[in-house]
Amino acid sequence: MMQISESYNQKNSLFNAMTRFIVAVNDMDQTVMVPSLLRDIPLDNRELKAPRTVTNINSTAKTAYFHRDGDMYSSYMLLKSIRNDIEWGVVPGEAPWKENVGETGMTALRSSVEEEDLEKQFHFHLNGLHTVLSKLTLKANTLTNRYKEEIGCTN
């Protein structure tokens, strides 16, 4: 029989963060019976959002005025999509942020530097993933509660 180590019982483990997110999205999915009702309803009560600076691939900054979180429907679809990616995985492919380097020596140098910092990179990304999962879980719970308010079903 396989034993589960003590680390999986820790509150801040990645496993528990993913589980909390998946449970929140499953609850949201079971609560939202008519997803089309979510269209054009902002996720929070504030109609206008502050401008946000967006940087494109060419590193030129643009200021865009838009609803940062969009409407509840787009948030609903995004959360379900992320849940599916966590549960089923994503198709491996070339990372969009990698540059095409023509010089073999430069690529080898970059690779060796990256390998020396693997632990640092791992902790950086683990912390980021945990933070994003916590925010997404909060967003799923908020959407569920807002949907209940909109249809007049409050506990």
Side-chain angles (χ1 to χ4, degrees), residues 16-30 83 87 137 140-141 144:
N16 285 334
M18 287 189 302
T19 300
R20 282 190 298 270
F21 170 71
I22 290 170
V23 166
V25 174
N26 287 343
D27 182 44
M28 174 194 75
D29 203 17
Q30 291 173 356
R83 178 199 57 196
E87 290 180 333
T137 301
N141 289 332
T144 302

Side-chain angles (χ1 to χ4, degrees), residues 105-124:
M106 195 63 172
T107 305
L109 176 63
R110 203 175 275 151
S111 178
S112 67
V113 169
E114 287 177 2
E115 292 221 8
E116 291 174 9
D117 254 356
L118 285 177
E119 183 179 5
K120 185 177 179 181
Q121 289 177 24
F122 171 75
H123 287 289
F124 174 78

Side-chain angles (χ1 to χ4, degrees), residues 100-153:
N100 292 329
V101 178
E103 299 176 28
T104 309
M106 195 63 172
T107 305
L109 176 63
R110 203 175 275 151
S111 178
S112 67
V113 169
E114 287 177 2
E115 292 221 8
E116 291 174 9
D117 254 356
L118 285 177
E119 183 179 5
K120 185 177 179 181
Q121 289 177 24
F122 171 75
H123 287 289
F124 174 78
H125 290 292
L126 181 64
N127 185 40
L129 183 57
H130 197 281
T131 300
V132 168
L133 283 169
S134 296
K135 289 178 182 180
L136 290 170
T137 301
L138 178 63
K139 190 172 191 169
N141 289 332
T142 301
L143 191 144
T144 302
N145 292 334
R146 286 275 292 132
Y147 178 81
K148 287 178 181 178
E149 287 174 14
E150 289 296 321
I151 63 168
C153 176

Side-chain angles (χ1 to χ4, degrees), residues 3-82:
Q3 289 184 318
I4 298 175
S5 70
E6 292 293 321
S7 65
Y8 284 111
N9 294 325
Q10 293 179 355
K11 178 183 173 189
N12 294 322
S13 75
L14 180 60
F15 178 78
N16 285 334
M18 287 189 302
T19 300
R20 282 190 298 270
F21 170 71
I22 290 170
V23 166
V25 174
N26 287 343
D27 182 44
M28 174 194 75
D29 203 17
Q30 291 173 356
T31 301
V32 177
M33 298 309 246
V34 185
S36 62
L37 290 177
L38 301 173
R39 292 190 190 276
D40 301 324
I41 300 172
L43 185 57
D44 61 7
N45 293 326
R46 292 169 280 159
E47 289 291 329
L48 298 174
K49 301 289 182 184
R52 179 176 173 192
T53 301
V54 179
T55 304
N56 67 12
I57 295 172
N58 298 326
S59 297
T60 57
K62 297 179 181 179
T63 302
Y65 290 88
F66 59 93
H67 295 288
R68 187 178 78 223
D69 294 327
D71 61 10
M72 286 177 55
Y73 182 78
S74 55
S75 294
Y76 172 81
M77 296 306 292
L78 173 70
L79 291 164
K80 285 181 59 169
S81 174
I82 292 171

